[in-house]
Amino acid sequence: MITSLLIRIKRACPRLWRMVENANGRIVRMRYPRLDDTASGMLPAPQSGGLRWSVVTGADIPELSRFLLSLPPESTTHFSPHPFDTATLRHMLSCGSFLMLTVRGTDGDICGYHFLRCFADGRAFHGLVVDPSCSGRGIGTAMWSLAARISAAAGLRMMATISESNLPSLASCRRGCHVEIAGHLPGSYLLLHCHPKI
């Protein structure tokens, strides 16, 4: 399966993976040149005293890195899609393969981060993390729902890989999206195909 092969390349040959990702990003941006605009147009409107979504820009990178590096180990047990340093995040922002979003709480600080890692074949893999102090507020479910709607509007097939033991993420995904199990991956991970509910 191509997903398993890509995962092996990413882990075993990071330099080769970086080259593949750069080439992939150029193709993604040619195929989906309005991806950022599509996402920006679908972000929930800011509400007084509520959460605020935004597409990540270069100015957000230092704060985003601090947020990710400050997460407790239990929050990243199943969330290690990429390093959290500023250099990596800047590369992700510039390479063209990623749509990155943050969620800010009432204090203006980042309380959640999610992204779509897009591929030239039309698939986009969703990943997310929420500050544990903000859990139970439906932020993760809203992230799944928003990402599925952005993907559908852009013409991308949204996928996700979630550990079978990560029951909270599986439940959140199913609340936010219609989910089909597309396959089983090494390490007891599920490959999921996610569709918007509305």
Side-chain angles (χ1 to χ4, degrees):
M1 178 183 287
I2 190 167
T3 302
S4 297
L5 175 61
L6 290 173
I7 290 171
R8 285 197 297 272
I9 292 173
K10 178 185 174 185
R11 291 177 179 165
C13 308
R15 188 171 294 175
L16 175 59
W17 175 255
R18 180 68 64 97
M19 290 169 35
V20 169
E21 191 165 66
N22 287 338
N24 174 72
R26 288 192 291 272
I27 299 170
V28 165
R29 291 301 167 160
M30 285 190 290
R31 286 194 67 186
Y32 307 99
R34 296 186 53 79
L35 181 58
D36 288 351
D37 292 338
T38 298
S40 295
M42 301 184 76
L43 299 180
Q47 298 177 352
S48 177
L51 301 169
R52 181 167 57 87
W53 262 258
S54 61
V55 175
V56 171
T57 68
D60 299 316
I61 294 297
E63 183 185 2
L64 177 57
S65 177
R66 288 193 297 273
F67 165 73
L68 292 170
L69 290 169
S70 73
L71 291 169
E74 58 270 21
S75 292
T76 57
T77 299
H78 298 291
F79 182 77
S80 56
H82 55 74
F84 298 154
D85 60 282
T86 56
T88 297
L89 294 171
R90 289 188 194 283
H91 171 75
M92 289 168 57
L93 191 62
S94 67
C95 77
S97 297
F98 290 86
L99 173 69
M100 303 159 65
L101 303 111
T102 56
V103 186
R104 295 178 183 273
T106 54
D107 57 3
D109 292 336
I110 295 173
C111 63
Y113 160 69
H114 61 138
F115 65 87
L116 288 167
R117 181 194 293 261
C118 305
F119 288 89
D121 67 355
R123 294 182 303 163
F125 283 79
H126 186 234
L128 73 156
V129 67
V130 177
D131 188 318
S133 68
C134 299
S135 62
R137 297 173 54 187
I139 297 172
T141 297
M143 289 174 162
W144 283 108
S145 177
L146 176 62
R149 289 186 285 112
I150 291 171
S151 297
L156 291 159
R157 299 188 314 279
M158 187 171 115
M159 314 293 292
T161 57
I162 302 179
S163 169
E164 292 183 79
S165 64
N166 191 353
L167 300 181
S169 287
L170 286 169
S172 178
C173 179
R174 288 180 171 129
R175 284 193 299 269
C177 314
H178 290 298
V179 178
E180 301 171 13
I181 297 176
H184 295 265
L185 300 172
S188 298
Y189 274 77
L190 297 173
L191 175 64
L192 306 175
H193 188 186
C194 307
H195 309 271
K197 285 192 169 181
I198 52 173

